[in-house]
Amino acid sequence: MKQSTFTVLLMLLLSSASYAEIQLNATMLSLPCTGCHGSEGKSQRAIPSLNVMSREQIYRAMKSFKNDQRHATLMNRIAKGYSDSELRLIADYFGVKP
Amino acid sequence: MKEWPRRDALKLLLASSGLALTACSGLSRVTKQRLRVVVIGAGFGGATAAKYIALNNPQIEVLLIERKKAFISGVFSNTVIAGINDIDGITHPLQRLQANHRINLICATVTAVDPEQRKVWLESGERISYDRLVVSPGIDIRWNALEGYDQAASILMPHAWQAGQQTLLLKQQLRAMPDGGVVVISSPADPFRCPPGPYERASLIAYYLKRHKPRSKILILDSKNSFAKQPLFEQGWQRLYPGMIEWISLSNGGRVVAVEAAQGRVHTEIDEFKPDVANIIPPQQAGQIAQQAGLVDSTGWCPVNQQTFESHQIPGIYVIGDSSLAGYMPKSAYAANCQAKVCAQAVVADLVGEAPLEPTFINTCYSLLAPDYAISIAAVYRLRSGEIMPVNGAGGSTPIQATLEDLASEAGYARGWYRNIVADSFG
Ligand SMILES: Cc1cc2nc3c(=O)[nH]c(=O)nc-3n(C[C@H](O)[C@H](O)[C@H](O)COP(=O)(O)OP(=O)(O)OC[C@H]3O[C@@H](n4cnc5c(N)ncnc54)[C@H](O)[C@@H]3O)c2cc1C
């Protein structure tokens, strides 16, 4: 009895969470970046390549852009558009294993 | 290759032959007819869509139909007018799409679409059938929306809003102008292709004039009371070209209503001008083929499902880029490239009977004020109740207090961006 109430509550919580933030696919989150960083994160000029960074490096860079801890011309405006868990998915998409 | 979850080749064959997945025993009877997507227009939207459909599912046959031999980009075309780039620098061959992604390139003009038969008609009279059609024809000029501004007038008073001959025409007129001359740029009401474009153009024309005809002036006659990145542009003009650029807003009588091209006259509601060079950026609408196919509504643009870009007017046809009504996204190359990837996923999903994935989008527009001075505006977008909306708290413009060093960095990044988006779209 208790458990099923808990399950219902959990489901409610989960569904309201997913309403606020829909679980997005890593590719759909990451492809918008490649217009600047190059297909698959391989940049040809000026803008840094992402495919040479580790997942952890990308994640940490995005977090510090998002929190305005790292100076940038543009990336802090972009990074603020994503939740931390989305930044993980994006970092996993572009990043190479350490 | 990092791609969408791999689609089952078998599923596609079954889908194309109309068989249910359970009909495994019938497999040997399945005809190997491939599903076909036709894409109209190999600009930033169409080329990207063709490429990403082919990448996503190599079983699909992709036909890309473009009327021009090579694509000439509106993006960076203002640098050609300023003389800091030449037309080859914004001309991009399409053959790599064929070589790298086995896309079938057809150099032809599409003259009609038959949605009942699912066929497109080429100028030659040839008909090509499709299972899904993606339409990305860019913009068309609304001729005579400004009284007197027709095709003949556009030779005398170029718009240069579709790159190519028009770009070179405006460049030549500026070269022929005497020092101390006046250049008028007329800027249209929203919505139009590349909202910061007219002001980038004013900046880069000023860059040319300052070096070669320093006594000249630029007058922007605007049909709006404000424009994209306005404080940043005005700050930059003050710093780089003091006294050279004057902006006349809608409420100050800036709206151009008519031209007399042969006489060189430009009329606003209250005034008349006779500039040495008139660059008329006229009102615009969806590319002509989109109008002809019945994809536009009363606005002149194409309403679409903003998750998939499938037309609200005709099922099986998708419209992306400048021609589409994509919520709060502006009409830009970055937006067209981004929309194309979302549309590619949706088209492939639809063909294999799957649901489309939830999209996200980014737009960024860099504007060069000089070769070493650029500003940017960016936004991240998501779908909210079926509409593409900017994410609160993200995006925005270059800060007004940005250092000259940062503005120079942005100019370098703008060139890097251009290189990368061209490779992402046409490579
Ligand atoms: C001066 C200027 C500056 C700009 N600067 C920027 C910028 O800095 N950043 C940015 O993001 N955007 C910029 N843009 C905007 C950008 O160029 C467009 O938004 C972008 O090209 C839109 O892509 P599209 O695929 O919708 O159309 P296009 O790229 O115009 O492609 C349409 C293609 O379809 C073809 N076509 C049309 N009809 C047919 C037919 N019936 N049959 C066969 N082919 C057909 C055309 O020939 C064309 O090649 C600028 C534009 C201009 C004019």
Side-chain angles (χ1 to χ4, degrees):
Chain A
M1 193 65 174
K2 223 176 176 180
Q3 194 154 21
S4 69
T5 319
F6 176 74
T7 316
V8 169
L9 264 174
L10 189 70
M11 279 173 64
L12 272 173
L13 267 172
L14 281 175
S15 64
S16 64
S18 68
Y19 178 76
E21 191 184 289
I22 298 155
Q23 179 66 48
L24 288 161
N25 168 283
T27 310
M28 300 306 272
L29 282 163
S30 305
L31 283 182
C33 315
T34 68
C36 275
H37 284 279
S39 305
E40 295 170 65
K42 289 180 203 145
S43 173
Q44 310 201 355
R45 183 162 158 181
I47 294 176
S49 286
L50 300 179
N51 67 319
V52 296
M53 297 173 77
S54 73
R55 295 167 172 182
E56 204 48 38
Q57 281 173 320
I58 296 179
Y59 180 73
R60 270 196 257 118
M62 292 301 279
K63 277 284 284 181
S64 48
F65 287 136
K66 185 175 165 181
N67 300 330
D68 289 320
Q69 286 161 338
R70 177 170 163 190
H71 178 75
T73 56
L74 175 114
M75 277 308 296
N76 36 21
R77 292 178 260 154
I78 302 279
K80 290 183 175 69
Y82 304 91
S83 70
D84 290 356
S85 59
E86 289 170 346
L87 292 180
R88 275 276 175 223
L89 288 174
I90 295 173
D92 288 348
Y93 178 88
F94 287 113
V96 290
K97 294 201 178 74
Chain B
M1 180 98 294
K2 292 165 181 175
E3 278 312 313
W4 286 289
R6 279 260 291 279
R7 308 284 174 205
D8 192 357
L10 176 63
K11 228 168 161 182
L12 250 184
L13 285 172
L14 292 171
S16 79
S17 64
L19 290 177
L21 265 175
T22 46
C24 287
S25 56
L27 196 58
S28 58
R29 287 185 279 111
V30 172
T31 51
K32 289 235 159 96
Q33 192 203 334
R34 290 170 78 195
L35 288 170
R36 179 189 283 168
V37 177
V38 170
V39 181
I40 303 177
F44 282 101
T48 308
K51 169 174 166 176
Y52 277 84
I53 290 167
L55 277 173
N56 187 352
N57 198 316
Q59 325 292 331
I60 295 173
E61 182 185 10
V62 184
L63 262 60
L64 178 58
I65 310 178
E66 167 60 52
R67 61 188 171 196
K68 288 184 274 170
K69 288 239 156 54
F71 176 70
I72 307 180
S73 163
V75 186
F76 267 53
S77 64
N78 289 330
T79 66
V80 176
I81 294 165
I84 54 182
N85 197 352
D86 57 30
I87 197 91
D88 292 342
I90 58 163
T91 305
H92 306 291
L94 303 167
Q95 280 71 25
R96 272 190 298 164
L97 289 167
Q98 195 151 14
N100 295 349
H101 309 292
R102 283 164 294 132
I103 290 163
N104 290 312
L105 254 184
I106 300 174
C107 186
T109 302
V110 178
T111 51
V113 176
D114 179 349
E116 304 272 284
Q117 302 279 320
R118 298 210 169 198
K119 285 189 167 78
V120 300
W121 294 57
L122 306 185
E123 209 167 27
S124 61
E126 196 183 335
R127 272 170 273 184
I128 295 176
S129 61
Y130 64 82
D131 293 292
R132 297 290 182 277
L133 178 65
V134 179
V135 180
S136 190
I139 54 152
D140 191 28
I141 304 294
R142 283 176 54 204
W143 299 113
N144 291 306
L146 303 180
E147 194 189 324
Y149 197 72
D150 55 15
Q151 256 135 320
S154 75
I155 307 298
L156 300 168
M157 296 181 166
H159 52 77
W161 222 240
Q162 288 163 311
Q165 260 326 102
Q166 279 280 315
T167 311
L168 295 174
L169 214 52
L170 180 57
K171 178 182 171 174
Q172 283 152 16
Q173 290 192 359
L174 289 164
R175 298 302 175 282
M177 184 183 97
D179 188 12
V182 173
V183 180
V184 154
I185 299 175
S186 113
S187 185
D190 292 319
F192 64 101
R193 158 180 279 185
C194 194
Y199 315 96
E200 179 189 65
R201 174 166 293 169
S203 313
L204 290 181
I205 289 179
Y207 175 81
Y208 164 76
L209 294 176
K210 189 179 171 185
R211 266 144 203 84
H212 300 281
K213 299 164 188 189
R215 294 187 297 113
S216 310
K217 287 241 172 329
I218 300 167
L219 198 58
I220 305 172
L221 300 176
D222 214 321
S223 297
K224 298 179 292 303
N225 278 324
S226 62
F227 58 87
K229 299 182 262 192
Q230 184 169 353
L232 289 160
F233 273 112
E234 288 175 342
Q235 180 187 53
W237 294 342
Q238 203 57 154
R239 285 174 177 164
L240 301 166
Y241 317 113
M244 202 172 216
I245 301 173
E246 189 185 342
W247 176 67
I248 302 182
S249 68
L250 170 68
S251 55
N252 286 326
R255 190 163 83 94
V256 169
V257 290
V259 301
E260 292 172 275
Q263 290 75 32
R265 280 198 281 266
V266 177
H267 298 270
T268 61
E269 265 150 354
I270 55 170
D271 228 333
E272 182 190 303
F273 298 86
K274 204 169 181 306
D276 296 272
V277 174
N279 169 211
I280 305 295
I281 305 167
Q284 298 149 31
Q285 58 194 338
Q288 204 182 357
I289 190 66
Q291 300 168 49
Q292 219 153 344
L295 294 162
V296 302
D297 67 12
S298 59
T299 63
W301 307 98
C302 305
V304 295
N305 172 326
Q306 294 177 24
Q307 175 166 11
T308 61
F309 293 87
E310 185 168 8
S311 166
H312 274 328
Q313 322 259 108
I314 309 177
I317 304 184
Y318 296 71
V319 188
I320 54 174
D322 289 352
S323 281
S324 68
L325 286 166
Y328 283 76
M329 292 187 90
K331 301 188 184 303
S332 76
Y334 206 101
N337 168 280
C338 228
Q339 291 160 8
K341 293 168 185 169
V342 169
C343 175
Q345 193 280 326
V347 166
V348 173
D350 188 33
L351 283 173
V352 299
E354 288 179 6
L357 296 172
E358 182 76 15
T360 67
F361 306 88
I362 296 178
N363 179 61
T364 307
C365 286
Y366 282 108
S367 299
L368 286 168
L369 280 73
D372 59 354
Y373 190 119
I375 57 179
S376 61
I377 185 164
V380 178
Y381 301 86
R382 293 175 188 233
L383 212 58
R384 295 272 183 261
S385 313
E387 193 174 19
I388 300 172
M389 305 264 280
V391 174
N392 280 334
S397 310
T398 302
I400 194 84
Q401 66 277 10
T403 60
L404 289 176
E405 197 186 337
D406 276 350
L407 297 166
S409 297
E410 288 221 273
Y413 289 138
R415 280 188 279 272
W417 161 72
Y418 184 62
R419 187 70 90 76
N420 286 337
I421 199 169
V422 164
D424 194 38
S425 304
F426 304 101

